Every structure is written in C-alpha cells, then in structure tokens.
Amino acid sequence: MKLNLIFWSFFLCNLGFSQEIALLKYNGGGDWYANPTSLPNLIKFSNQNSGTRIKAKPATVSPGSPDIFSYPFIHMTGHGNVVFNSQEAENLRNYLLAGGFLHIDDNYGMDQYIRKEIKKIFPDNPLIEIPATHIIFQKPFVFANGLPKIHEHEGKKPQAYGIFVNNKLVLLYTFESDLGDGWEDYEVHNDPKEVREKALKMGTNLLNFVFNN
C-alpha cells in the first residue's frame, strides 16, 4: 500500500494536463538510445488512434533515479550489454510493485544480457510466456496470434514474456519481434506500411493497457 501511495503521489504531481512516458538510460555499454524516432512515432499514432493524450516527446530516465516514479510507462531497448547494480534493481522493483510498467524490447542481441538483469529485479518471479488471450493482444487492436513479427533476425517466432505480480503484468519483454524498429520513421528500415502499422498497433495496445486499465 505504501509503495502505491508513493507512486501515485509522484505520478499525480508530475501529470499536469497530459500523460508522459520515458526511455530507460541504462549502464553496461548497450545502445539504450537505439531507435530515436520510435517512441515519438508511437505516441503520435496512439494519440491519434486510441484517445491517449501522451506528451509528444518522451523523457529519459535512469534506473536508479527516483524520477522513474513520475512515468507510468517506461520503455527499454538496445542491441547489447545491460547492467543493473543492486540499487538500480531495487529501485526498478519498487517502481513496478508500486504500479509502474516496464516494456523491454530486444532490438536483437540483448537477450543474453537482459534475462539475468530481470532476475536481479525479481529473483523469485519467473518470466512467463504471455498467451494470445491476454488483454494486451485484445484491445484496442486484436492480435489473435499474439505478438506480431516485425523483423526476421534469426527467423524465430516472436515471443512475449512477462513478470506478473498478484496476477497483474508489470514487466513485458518482447523477443524476436523488434517492435521498436517498426515504430521508427519509414526511411530507417523501409518496412512496408502494413508491417509498420502492426508494430504501431501493438505498441498502442501496450500504452492503453497502462493508461486505461
């Protein structure tokens, strides 16, 4: 109860007349700054197509900062190494227990590093594959087969893994999908319109899960 009060006091004080999301700037050498156009494009699409009112420019936050409590949704991406120290892991755990949401999107190459860091945050909560029946795949856009495939990489099937606390999804790890690449400006990857639209719709579902539930 105390953690929830902490979260909402931070959130409400910083909310103003809009909603805001953030990008996680982590240590370890990985390119946390990859896909610079992805979040602004996702925000624009979500605001235009689902009624969210998210501030156009996302913030940047560090995992150990108290500022993370100001953002109900934090996105994390990259291709390489990720390291959370004990204070950062504890801060992220408190943030998620208090009602925050972390989306980790493997931009290809992050998987071997991020799984052990997630274990630091929740040592007793396993990553569970999320079924296509979960609400994140149901509204406002329906993905009957679950997480869409955006980029091929190794040709493996896209998988969505989650950490659940009291049956609520608090951390989402998207693997072999690369949603963030699909959110980028068209000329970055030259993805067909229908591929970019799938990625943007899936991202919009995530934002709606956080802001409208």
Side-chain angles (χ1 to χ4, degrees), residues 135-198:
I135 192 173
I136 62 170
F137 301 121
Q138 303 302 317
K139 66 177 191 177
F141 302 105
V142 176
F143 289 87
N145 297 316
L147 188 68
K149 185 76 169 176
I150 305 304
H151 279 191
E152 285 301 317
H153 297 316
E154 295 181 359
K156 298 176 182 177
K157 75 169 187 174
Q159 292 176 284
Y161 297 98
I163 295 288
F164 290 81
V165 175
N166 296 325
N167 296 317
K168 181 185 177 184
L169 180 66
V170 299
L171 183 152
L172 172 68
Y173 172 44
T174 47
F175 175 63
E176 279 292 328
S177 171
D178 212 338
L179 292 173
D181 274 10
W183 302 339
E184 286 240 78
D185 288 348
Y186 168 76
E187 59 270 18
V188 177
H189 301 288
N190 297 311
D191 288 327
K193 180 181 178 181
E194 59 269 21
V195 171
R196 293 187 71 242
E197 190 171 84
K198 279 196 303 184

Short mmCIF file of all heavy atoms in Angstrom, two decimals, residues 135-198:
data_model
loop_
_atom_site.label_atom_id
_atom_site.label_comp_id
_atom_site.label_asym_id
_atom_site.label_seq_id
_atom_site.Cartn_x
_atom_site.Cartn_y
_atom_site.Cartn_z
N ILE A 135 -5.04 -9.51 -22.38
CA ILE A 135 -5.66 -8.25 -22.79
C ILE A 135 -4.76 -7.37 -23.66
O ILE A 135 -5.24 -6.60 -24.50
CB ILE A 135 -6.16 -7.46 -21.54
CG1 ILE A 135 -7.06 -6.30 -21.98
CG2 ILE A 135 -4.98 -6.99 -20.71
CD1 ILE A 135 -7.71 -5.61 -20.81
N ILE A 136 -3.44 -7.49 -23.50
CA ILE A 136 -2.55 -6.65 -24.32
C ILE A 136 -2.65 -6.99 -25.80
O ILE A 136 -2.26 -6.18 -26.65
CB ILE A 136 -1.08 -6.73 -23.86
CG1 ILE A 136 -0.52 -8.15 -23.99
CG2 ILE A 136 -0.90 -6.17 -22.47
CD1 ILE A 136 0.98 -8.24 -23.78
N PHE A 137 -3.17 -8.17 -26.11
CA PHE A 137 -3.34 -8.57 -27.50
C PHE A 137 -4.79 -8.42 -27.99
O PHE A 137 -5.11 -8.80 -29.11
CB PHE A 137 -2.91 -10.02 -27.70
CG PHE A 137 -1.48 -10.29 -27.33
CD1 PHE A 137 -1.16 -11.22 -26.36
CD2 PHE A 137 -0.44 -9.61 -27.95
CE1 PHE A 137 0.16 -11.47 -26.01
CE2 PHE A 137 0.88 -9.84 -27.62
CZ PHE A 137 1.18 -10.78 -26.64
N GLN A 138 -5.64 -7.84 -27.14
CA GLN A 138 -7.07 -7.81 -27.45
C GLN A 138 -7.64 -6.42 -27.70
O GLN A 138 -8.65 -6.29 -28.41
CB GLN A 138 -7.86 -8.46 -26.30
CG GLN A 138 -7.44 -9.89 -26.00
CD GLN A 138 -7.58 -10.80 -27.20
OE1 GLN A 138 -8.56 -10.75 -27.93
NE2 GLN A 138 -6.57 -11.64 -27.42
N LYS A 139 -7.05 -5.37 -27.12
CA LYS A 139 -7.64 -4.06 -27.33
C LYS A 139 -6.60 -2.94 -27.21
O LYS A 139 -5.62 -3.09 -26.46
CB LYS A 139 -8.81 -3.83 -26.37
CG LYS A 139 -8.44 -3.75 -24.89
CD LYS A 139 -9.68 -3.44 -24.07
CE LYS A 139 -9.30 -3.09 -22.63
NZ LYS A 139 -10.45 -2.72 -21.82
N PRO A 140 -6.83 -1.86 -27.95
CA PRO A 140 -7.95 -1.64 -28.88
C PRO A 140 -7.83 -2.42 -30.19
O PRO A 140 -8.77 -2.46 -30.96
CB PRO A 140 -7.91 -0.14 -29.13
CG PRO A 140 -6.48 0.23 -28.95
CD PRO A 140 -5.97 -0.67 -27.85
N PHE A 141 -6.66 -3.02 -30.45
CA PHE A 141 -6.46 -3.78 -31.69
C PHE A 141 -6.27 -5.25 -31.35
O PHE A 141 -5.58 -5.60 -30.39
CB PHE A 141 -5.24 -3.25 -32.45
CG PHE A 141 -5.34 -1.78 -32.79
CD1 PHE A 141 -4.61 -0.83 -32.09
CD2 PHE A 141 -6.18 -1.36 -33.81
CE1 PHE A 141 -4.71 0.52 -32.39
CE2 PHE A 141 -6.29 0.00 -34.13
CZ PHE A 141 -5.55 0.93 -33.42
N VAL A 142 -6.87 -6.11 -32.15
CA VAL A 142 -6.84 -7.55 -31.88
C VAL A 142 -5.67 -8.21 -32.61
O VAL A 142 -5.50 -8.05 -33.82
CB VAL A 142 -8.15 -8.22 -32.31
CG1 VAL A 142 -8.07 -9.74 -32.10
CG2 VAL A 142 -9.33 -7.65 -31.53
N PHE A 143 -4.86 -8.94 -31.84
CA PHE A 143 -3.78 -9.76 -32.38
C PHE A 143 -4.08 -11.20 -31.97
O PHE A 143 -3.64 -11.66 -30.91
CB PHE A 143 -2.43 -9.29 -31.85
CG PHE A 143 -1.98 -7.98 -32.42
CD1 PHE A 143 -2.39 -6.78 -31.81
CD2 PHE A 143 -1.18 -7.91 -33.54
CE1 PHE A 143 -1.99 -5.56 -32.35
CE2 PHE A 143 -0.78 -6.70 -34.08
CZ PHE A 143 -1.19 -5.52 -33.48
N ALA A 144 -4.84 -11.88 -32.81
CA ALA A 144 -5.35 -13.21 -32.46
C ALA A 144 -4.23 -14.22 -32.21
O ALA A 144 -4.41 -15.17 -31.45
CB ALA A 144 -6.27 -13.71 -33.56
N ASN A 145 -3.07 -14.00 -32.84
CA ASN A 145 -1.95 -14.92 -32.67
C ASN A 145 -0.88 -14.40 -31.72
O ASN A 145 0.22 -14.93 -31.67
CB ASN A 145 -1.33 -15.22 -34.04
CG ASN A 145 -2.29 -15.91 -34.97
OD1 ASN A 145 -3.01 -16.83 -34.57
ND2 ASN A 145 -2.34 -15.47 -36.22
N GLY A 146 -1.20 -13.35 -30.98
CA GLY A 146 -0.24 -12.80 -30.04
C GLY A 146 0.72 -11.82 -30.69
O GLY A 146 0.39 -11.15 -31.67
N LEU A 147 1.91 -11.74 -30.16
CA LEU A 147 2.90 -10.75 -30.57
C LEU A 147 3.22 -10.87 -32.06
O LEU A 147 3.56 -11.94 -32.54
CB LEU A 147 4.18 -10.95 -29.75
CG LEU A 147 5.28 -9.89 -29.90
CD1 LEU A 147 4.82 -8.55 -29.32
CD2 LEU A 147 6.56 -10.36 -29.20
N PRO A 148 3.15 -9.75 -32.80
CA PRO A 148 3.45 -9.81 -34.24
C PRO A 148 4.95 -9.86 -34.52
O PRO A 148 5.76 -9.38 -33.74
CB PRO A 148 2.84 -8.51 -34.77
CG PRO A 148 2.94 -7.56 -33.62
CD PRO A 148 2.70 -8.41 -32.39
N LYS A 149 5.29 -10.44 -35.65
CA LYS A 149 6.68 -10.49 -36.12
C LYS A 149 6.93 -9.24 -36.97
O LYS A 149 6.26 -9.03 -37.97
CB LYS A 149 6.90 -11.75 -36.95
CG LYS A 149 8.35 -11.97 -37.39
CD LYS A 149 9.20 -12.47 -36.26
CE LYS A 149 10.57 -12.94 -36.76
NZ LYS A 149 11.45 -13.35 -35.65
N ILE A 150 7.92 -8.43 -36.58
CA ILE A 150 8.22 -7.21 -37.33
C ILE A 150 9.50 -7.38 -38.14
O ILE A 150 9.52 -7.15 -39.33
CB ILE A 150 8.33 -5.99 -36.38
CG1 ILE A 150 7.03 -5.86 -35.53
CG2 ILE A 150 8.59 -4.73 -37.17
CD1 ILE A 150 5.75 -5.77 -36.34
N HIS A 151 10.59 -7.81 -37.51
CA HIS A 151 11.84 -8.07 -38.23
C HIS A 151 12.26 -9.52 -38.03
O HIS A 151 12.08 -10.09 -36.95
CB HIS A 151 12.93 -7.11 -37.76
CG HIS A 151 12.85 -5.76 -38.40
ND1 HIS A 151 13.82 -4.82 -38.31
CD2 HIS A 151 11.89 -5.19 -39.18
CE1 HIS A 151 13.48 -3.73 -38.98
NE2 HIS A 151 12.29 -3.94 -39.51
N GLU A 152 12.86 -10.10 -39.05
CA GLU A 152 13.17 -11.52 -39.04
C GLU A 152 14.30 -11.89 -38.09
O GLU A 152 14.21 -12.83 -37.32
CB GLU A 152 13.50 -12.00 -40.46
CG GLU A 152 12.28 -12.13 -41.34
CD GLU A 152 11.25 -13.10 -40.78
OE1 GLU A 152 11.62 -14.17 -40.30
OE2 GLU A 152 10.06 -12.76 -40.81
N HIS A 153 15.43 -11.18 -38.17
CA HIS A 153 16.61 -11.53 -37.38
C HIS A 153 16.99 -12.99 -37.63
O HIS A 153 17.45 -13.33 -38.70
CB HIS A 153 16.40 -11.22 -35.90
CG HIS A 153 16.19 -9.77 -35.61
ND1 HIS A 153 16.95 -8.77 -36.19
CD2 HIS A 153 15.29 -9.13 -34.83
CE1 HIS A 153 16.54 -7.60 -35.76
NE2 HIS A 153 15.53 -7.77 -34.94
N GLU A 154 16.76 -13.88 -36.67
CA GLU A 154 17.12 -15.28 -36.84
C GLU A 154 15.95 -16.14 -37.30
O GLU A 154 16.05 -17.36 -37.35
CB GLU A 154 17.70 -15.84 -35.54
CG GLU A 154 19.01 -15.17 -35.13
CD GLU A 154 19.59 -15.75 -33.85
OE1 GLU A 154 18.96 -16.66 -33.27
OE2 GLU A 154 20.68 -15.31 -33.44
N GLY A 155 14.86 -15.51 -37.65
CA GLY A 155 13.71 -16.26 -38.15
C GLY A 155 12.91 -16.99 -37.10
O GLY A 155 12.04 -17.80 -37.42
N LYS A 156 13.20 -16.75 -35.83
CA LYS A 156 12.46 -17.41 -34.76
C LYS A 156 11.10 -16.74 -34.57
O LYS A 156 10.88 -15.61 -34.99
CB LYS A 156 13.24 -17.35 -33.45
CG LYS A 156 14.58 -18.06 -33.50
CD LYS A 156 15.33 -17.87 -32.18
CE LYS A 156 16.69 -18.54 -32.21
NZ LYS A 156 17.46 -18.29 -30.96
N LYS A 157 10.19 -17.46 -33.92
CA LYS A 157 8.86 -16.89 -33.70
C LYS A 157 8.93 -15.79 -32.65
O LYS A 157 9.76 -15.84 -31.71
CB LYS A 157 7.88 -17.96 -33.27
CG LYS A 157 8.02 -18.43 -31.82
CD LYS A 157 6.82 -19.30 -31.42
CE LYS A 157 6.86 -19.63 -29.93
NZ LYS A 157 5.66 -20.34 -29.48
N PRO A 158 8.11 -14.75 -32.78
CA PRO A 158 8.08 -13.69 -31.78
C PRO A 158 7.47 -14.21 -30.48
O PRO A 158 6.52 -15.00 -30.50
CB PRO A 158 7.19 -12.62 -32.42
CG PRO A 158 6.30 -13.39 -33.33
CD PRO A 158 7.12 -14.53 -33.85
N GLN A 159 8.05 -13.79 -29.36
CA GLN A 159 7.56 -14.24 -28.07
C GLN A 159 7.45 -13.06 -27.10
O GLN A 159 8.32 -12.19 -27.06
CB GLN A 159 8.50 -15.30 -27.48
CG GLN A 159 8.50 -16.61 -28.25
CD GLN A 159 9.51 -17.59 -27.69
OE1 GLN A 159 10.71 -17.45 -27.91
NE2 GLN A 159 9.04 -18.60 -26.98
N ALA A 160 6.38 -13.06 -26.33
CA ALA A 160 6.17 -12.04 -25.30
C ALA A 160 6.25 -12.73 -23.94
O ALA A 160 5.51 -13.68 -23.67
CB ALA A 160 4.81 -11.39 -25.48
N TYR A 161 7.16 -12.26 -23.12
CA TYR A 161 7.33 -12.79 -21.77
C TYR A 161 6.98 -11.71 -20.76
O TYR A 161 7.18 -10.51 -21.01
CB TYR A 161 8.78 -13.22 -21.54
CG TYR A 161 9.26 -14.34 -22.42
CD1 TYR A 161 10.01 -14.08 -23.56
CD2 TYR A 161 8.98 -15.68 -22.10
CE1 TYR A 161 10.47 -15.11 -24.37
CE2 TYR A 161 9.44 -16.71 -22.91
CZ TYR A 161 10.19 -16.42 -24.04
OH TYR A 161 10.63 -17.45 -24.83
N GLY A 162 6.48 -12.13 -19.62
CA GLY A 162 6.10 -11.16 -18.61
C GLY A 162 6.44 -11.57 -17.20
O GLY A 162 6.61 -12.76 -16.91
N ILE A 163 6.54 -10.57 -16.35
CA ILE A 163 6.59 -10.77 -14.91
C ILE A 163 5.24 -10.33 -14.37
O ILE A 163 4.78 -9.21 -14.63
CB ILE A 163 7.71 -9.94 -14.24
CG1 ILE A 163 9.09 -10.39 -14.72
CG2 ILE A 163 7.60 -10.02 -12.71
CD1 ILE A 163 9.55 -11.72 -14.19
N PHE A 164 4.60 -11.21 -13.61
CA PHE A 164 3.30 -10.91 -13.02
C PHE A 164 3.44 -10.78 -11.51
O PHE A 164 4.11 -11.59 -10.86
CB PHE A 164 2.30 -12.02 -13.34
CG PHE A 164 1.88 -12.07 -14.79
CD1 PHE A 164 2.68 -12.70 -15.74
CD2 PHE A 164 0.69 -11.49 -15.19
CE1 PHE A 164 2.30 -12.75 -17.08
CE2 PHE A 164 0.30 -11.54 -16.53
CZ PHE A 164 1.10 -12.16 -17.47
N VAL A 165 2.80 -9.77 -10.96
CA VAL A 165 2.74 -9.58 -9.51
C VAL A 165 1.27 -9.52 -9.13
O VAL A 165 0.53 -8.65 -9.63
CB VAL A 165 3.46 -8.29 -9.08
CG1 VAL A 165 3.28 -8.06 -7.58
CG2 VAL A 165 4.94 -8.37 -9.43
N ASN A 166 0.83 -10.43 -8.28
CA ASN A 166 -0.58 -10.53 -7.92
C ASN A 166 -1.46 -10.61 -9.16
O ASN A 166 -2.49 -9.92 -9.28
CB ASN A 166 -1.00 -9.35 -7.03
CG ASN A 166 -0.27 -9.35 -5.71
OD1 ASN A 166 0.02 -10.39 -5.14
ND2 ASN A 166 0.05 -8.16 -5.20
N ASN A 167 -1.02 -11.41 -10.11
CA ASN A 167 -1.74 -11.66 -11.37
C ASN A 167 -1.80 -10.46 -12.31
O ASN A 167 -2.52 -10.49 -13.31
CB ASN A 167 -3.17 -12.16 -11.09
CG ASN A 167 -3.20 -13.50 -10.38
OD1 ASN A 167 -2.45 -14.40 -10.73
ND2 ASN A 167 -4.04 -13.61 -9.37
N LYS A 168 -1.05 -9.42 -12.01
CA LYS A 168 -1.01 -8.24 -12.88
C LYS A 168 0.33 -8.18 -13.60
O LYS A 168 1.39 -8.32 -12.98
CB LYS A 168 -1.22 -6.96 -12.08
CG LYS A 168 -1.20 -5.71 -12.96
CD LYS A 168 -1.30 -4.45 -12.14
CE LYS A 168 -1.21 -3.22 -13.05
NZ LYS A 168 -1.20 -1.95 -12.27
N LEU A 169 0.28 -7.96 -14.91
CA LEU A 169 1.50 -7.82 -15.70
C LEU A 169 2.17 -6.49 -15.39
O LEU A 169 1.58 -5.42 -15.55
CB LEU A 169 1.16 -7.88 -17.19
CG LEU A 169 2.31 -7.75 -18.18
CD1 LEU A 169 3.27 -8.94 -18.06
CD2 LEU A 169 1.78 -7.65 -19.61
N VAL A 170 3.44 -6.55 -14.92
CA VAL A 170 4.16 -5.32 -14.57
C VAL A 170 5.40 -5.12 -15.43
O VAL A 170 5.92 -4.00 -15.54
CB VAL A 170 4.56 -5.30 -13.07
CG1 VAL A 170 3.33 -5.36 -12.19
CG2 VAL A 170 5.54 -6.42 -12.73
N LEU A 171 5.91 -6.19 -16.03
CA LEU A 171 7.08 -6.12 -16.90
C LEU A 171 6.83 -6.98 -18.12
O LEU A 171 6.45 -8.14 -18.00
CB LEU A 171 8.33 -6.59 -16.15
CG LEU A 171 9.68 -6.53 -16.87
CD1 LEU A 171 10.82 -6.36 -15.85
CD2 LEU A 171 9.95 -7.78 -17.73
N LEU A 172 7.05 -6.39 -19.30
CA LEU A 172 6.88 -7.10 -20.56
C LEU A 172 8.20 -7.13 -21.30
O LEU A 172 8.82 -6.09 -21.51
CB LEU A 172 5.82 -6.42 -21.42
CG LEU A 172 5.67 -6.94 -22.86
CD1 LEU A 172 5.10 -8.36 -22.85
CD2 LEU A 172 4.79 -6.01 -23.68
N TYR A 173 8.62 -8.32 -21.71
CA TYR A 173 9.84 -8.48 -22.51
C TYR A 173 9.44 -9.05 -23.86
O TYR A 173 8.97 -10.19 -23.94
CB TYR A 173 10.82 -9.39 -21.78
CG TYR A 173 12.03 -9.78 -22.61
CD1 TYR A 173 12.71 -8.83 -23.38
CD2 TYR A 173 12.50 -11.09 -22.62
CE1 TYR A 173 13.82 -9.18 -24.14
CE2 TYR A 173 13.61 -11.45 -23.36
CZ TYR A 173 14.26 -10.49 -24.13
OH TYR A 173 15.36 -10.84 -24.89
N THR A 174 9.62 -8.28 -24.93
CA THR A 174 9.29 -8.73 -26.27
C THR A 174 10.56 -9.16 -27.00
O THR A 174 11.51 -8.40 -27.12
CB THR A 174 8.54 -7.64 -27.05
OG1 THR A 174 9.19 -6.37 -26.92
CG2 THR A 174 7.11 -7.50 -26.54
N PHE A 175 10.54 -10.40 -27.50
CA PHE A 175 11.72 -11.06 -28.06
C PHE A 175 11.43 -11.56 -29.47
O PHE A 175 10.35 -12.10 -29.75
CB PHE A 175 12.10 -12.23 -27.14
CG PHE A 175 13.22 -13.08 -27.64
CD1 PHE A 175 14.49 -12.56 -27.82
CD2 PHE A 175 13.02 -14.43 -27.93
CE1 PHE A 175 15.54 -13.36 -28.28
CE2 PHE A 175 14.05 -15.24 -28.38
CZ PHE A 175 15.32 -14.69 -28.55
N GLU A 176 12.39 -11.38 -30.37
CA GLU A 176 12.28 -11.82 -31.76
C GLU A 176 11.08 -11.19 -32.48
O GLU A 176 10.46 -11.79 -33.35
CB GLU A 176 12.18 -13.35 -31.86
CG GLU A 176 13.53 -14.04 -31.77
CD GLU A 176 14.43 -13.79 -32.99
OE1 GLU A 176 13.90 -13.63 -34.10
OE2 GLU A 176 15.66 -13.76 -32.81
N SER A 177 10.76 -9.98 -32.09
CA SER A 177 9.70 -9.21 -32.74
C SER A 177 10.24 -7.89 -33.24
O SER A 177 10.10 -7.54 -34.39
CB SER A 177 8.54 -8.97 -31.77
OG SER A 177 7.60 -8.07 -32.32
N ASP A 178 10.93 -7.16 -32.34
CA ASP A 178 11.53 -5.86 -32.65
C ASP A 178 10.47 -4.82 -32.98
O ASP A 178 10.49 -4.18 -34.04
CB ASP A 178 12.55 -5.98 -33.78
CG ASP A 178 13.69 -4.98 -33.64
OD1 ASP A 178 13.49 -3.96 -32.95
OD2 ASP A 178 14.76 -5.22 -34.20
N LEU A 179 9.55 -4.62 -32.05
CA LEU A 179 8.51 -3.62 -32.22
C LEU A 179 9.09 -2.23 -32.47
O LEU A 179 8.59 -1.48 -33.31
CB LEU A 179 7.61 -3.58 -30.98
CG LEU A 179 6.73 -4.79 -30.71
CD1 LEU A 179 6.04 -4.65 -29.37
CD2 LEU A 179 5.70 -4.97 -31.81
N GLY A 180 10.16 -1.89 -31.74
CA GLY A 180 10.74 -0.55 -31.85
C GLY A 180 11.21 -0.21 -33.25
O GLY A 180 11.09 0.94 -33.70
N ASP A 181 11.74 -1.20 -33.97
CA ASP A 181 12.14 -0.95 -35.36
C ASP A 181 10.92 -0.61 -36.21
O ASP A 181 11.00 0.23 -37.12
CB ASP A 181 12.85 -2.18 -35.95
CG ASP A 181 14.34 -2.20 -35.64
OD1 ASP A 181 14.78 -1.36 -34.82
OD2 ASP A 181 15.05 -3.05 -36.20
N GLY A 182 9.81 -1.25 -35.92
CA GLY A 182 8.59 -0.99 -36.67
C GLY A 182 7.98 0.36 -36.36
O GLY A 182 7.18 0.89 -37.14
N TRP A 183 8.33 0.93 -35.20
CA TRP A 183 7.83 2.26 -34.84
C TRP A 183 8.65 3.38 -35.48
O TRP A 183 8.20 4.52 -35.52
CB TRP A 183 7.85 2.45 -33.33
CG TRP A 183 7.06 1.46 -32.54
CD1 TRP A 183 6.03 0.68 -32.98
CD2 TRP A 183 7.23 1.14 -31.15
NE1 TRP A 183 5.57 -0.11 -31.97
CE2 TRP A 183 6.27 0.15 -30.83
CE3 TRP A 183 8.10 1.60 -30.15
CZ2 TRP A 183 6.16 -0.39 -29.55
CZ3 TRP A 183 7.99 1.05 -28.88
CH2 TRP A 183 7.03 0.07 -28.57
N GLU A 184 9.84 3.06 -35.95
CA GLU A 184 10.73 4.09 -36.48
C GLU A 184 10.19 4.73 -37.76
O GLU A 184 9.28 4.20 -38.42
CB GLU A 184 12.10 3.48 -36.77
CG GLU A 184 12.92 3.21 -35.52
CD GLU A 184 14.22 3.97 -35.49
OE1 GLU A 184 14.21 5.18 -35.19
OE2 GLU A 184 15.25 3.34 -35.78
N ASP A 185 10.79 5.87 -38.15
CA ASP A 185 10.44 6.51 -39.41
C ASP A 185 10.60 5.52 -40.55
O ASP A 185 11.50 4.67 -40.54
CB ASP A 185 11.35 7.71 -39.67
CG ASP A 185 11.04 8.90 -38.76
OD1 ASP A 185 9.99 8.88 -38.09
OD2 ASP A 185 11.86 9.84 -38.74
N TYR A 186 9.76 5.66 -41.55
CA TYR A 186 9.73 4.72 -42.67
C TYR A 186 11.11 4.52 -43.30
O TYR A 186 11.53 3.40 -43.58
CB TYR A 186 8.74 5.20 -43.74
CG TYR A 186 8.87 4.45 -45.05
CD1 TYR A 186 8.37 3.15 -45.19
CD2 TYR A 186 9.54 5.02 -46.14
CE1 TYR A 186 8.50 2.45 -46.38
CE2 TYR A 186 9.68 4.33 -47.33
CZ TYR A 186 9.17 3.04 -47.45
OH TYR A 186 9.32 2.35 -48.62
N GLU A 187 11.85 5.61 -43.53
CA GLU A 187 13.10 5.52 -44.27
C GLU A 187 14.22 4.84 -43.50
O GLU A 187 15.27 4.50 -44.07
CB GLU A 187 13.57 6.92 -44.71
CG GLU A 187 13.80 7.90 -43.58
CD GLU A 187 12.56 8.70 -43.23
OE1 GLU A 187 11.44 8.28 -43.61
OE2 GLU A 187 12.71 9.74 -42.56
N VAL A 188 14.04 4.59 -42.22
CA VAL A 188 15.08 3.94 -41.43
C VAL A 188 15.22 2.47 -41.84
O VAL A 188 16.33 1.96 -42.02
CB VAL A 188 14.78 4.05 -39.92
CG1 VAL A 188 15.84 3.30 -39.11
CG2 VAL A 188 14.73 5.51 -39.48
N HIS A 189 14.11 1.77 -41.97
CA HIS A 189 14.15 0.34 -42.30
C HIS A 189 13.40 -0.01 -43.59
O HIS A 189 13.46 -1.16 -44.03
CB HIS A 189 13.57 -0.49 -41.14
CG HIS A 189 14.30 -0.30 -39.85
ND1 HIS A 189 15.56 -0.82 -39.63
CD2 HIS A 189 13.95 0.35 -38.71
CE1 HIS A 189 15.95 -0.48 -38.40
NE2 HIS A 189 15.00 0.22 -37.83
N ASN A 190 12.67 0.97 -44.13
CA ASN A 190 11.88 0.74 -45.35
C ASN A 190 10.89 -0.42 -45.20
O ASN A 190 10.65 -1.17 -46.15
CB ASN A 190 12.80 0.49 -46.56
CG ASN A 190 13.66 1.70 -46.88
OD1 ASN A 190 13.15 2.82 -46.97
ND2 ASN A 190 14.95 1.48 -47.04
N ASP A 191 10.33 -0.55 -44.01
CA ASP A 191 9.33 -1.59 -43.81
C ASP A 191 8.05 -1.25 -44.57
O ASP A 191 7.67 -0.08 -44.67
CB ASP A 191 8.99 -1.72 -42.32
CG ASP A 191 10.10 -2.35 -41.52
OD1 ASP A 191 10.80 -3.22 -42.07
OD2 ASP A 191 10.29 -1.97 -40.34
N PRO A 192 7.35 -2.25 -45.10
CA PRO A 192 6.06 -2.00 -45.73
C PRO A 192 5.08 -1.36 -44.75
O PRO A 192 5.19 -1.55 -43.52
CB PRO A 192 5.58 -3.40 -46.14
CG PRO A 192 6.81 -4.23 -46.20
CD PRO A 192 7.73 -3.67 -45.14
N LYS A 193 4.13 -0.63 -45.29
CA LYS A 193 3.16 0.07 -44.46
C LYS A 193 2.45 -0.86 -43.49
O LYS A 193 2.25 -0.53 -42.32
CB LYS A 193 2.13 0.78 -45.35
CG LYS A 193 1.06 1.54 -44.57
CD LYS A 193 0.05 2.19 -45.51
CE LYS A 193 -1.04 2.90 -44.71
NZ LYS A 193 -2.05 3.52 -45.62
N GLU A 194 2.06 -2.06 -43.98
CA GLU A 194 1.32 -2.98 -43.13
C GLU A 194 2.16 -3.51 -41.97
O GLU A 194 1.64 -3.80 -40.89
CB GLU A 194 0.75 -4.14 -43.95
CG GLU A 194 1.77 -4.99 -44.68
CD GLU A 194 2.06 -4.51 -46.10
OE1 GLU A 194 1.80 -3.31 -46.38
OE2 GLU A 194 2.55 -5.32 -46.91
N VAL A 195 3.48 -3.62 -42.16
CA VAL A 195 4.36 -4.08 -41.08
C VAL A 195 4.49 -2.99 -40.02
O VAL A 195 4.39 -3.26 -38.81
CB VAL A 195 5.75 -4.47 -41.63
CG1 VAL A 195 6.73 -4.74 -40.50
CG2 VAL A 195 5.63 -5.71 -42.51
N ARG A 196 4.72 -1.75 -40.45
CA ARG A 196 4.81 -0.64 -39.50
C ARG A 196 3.50 -0.47 -38.74
O ARG A 196 3.50 -0.21 -37.53
CB ARG A 196 5.16 0.66 -40.23
CG ARG A 196 6.56 0.68 -40.82
CD ARG A 196 6.93 2.04 -41.37
NE ARG A 196 7.14 3.00 -40.30
CZ ARG A 196 6.40 4.10 -40.14
NH1 ARG A 196 5.40 4.37 -40.95
NH2 ARG A 196 6.69 4.93 -39.15
N GLU A 197 2.39 -0.64 -39.45
CA GLU A 197 1.09 -0.48 -38.80
C GLU A 197 0.87 -1.55 -37.74
O GLU A 197 0.33 -1.26 -36.66
CB GLU A 197 -0.02 -0.54 -39.85
CG GLU A 197 -1.38 -0.16 -39.30
CD GLU A 197 -2.42 -0.01 -40.38
OE1 GLU A 197 -3.01 -1.04 -40.78
OE2 GLU A 197 -2.64 1.13 -40.84
N LYS A 198 1.28 -2.78 -38.00
CA LYS A 198 1.18 -3.84 -36.99
C LYS A 198 1.97 -3.48 -35.74
O LYS A 198 1.49 -3.64 -34.61
CB LYS A 198 1.70 -5.17 -37.54
CG LYS A 198 0.73 -5.94 -38.40
CD LYS A 198 1.16 -7.39 -38.59
CE LYS A 198 2.53 -7.53 -39.18
NZ LYS A 198 2.89 -8.95 -39.45
#
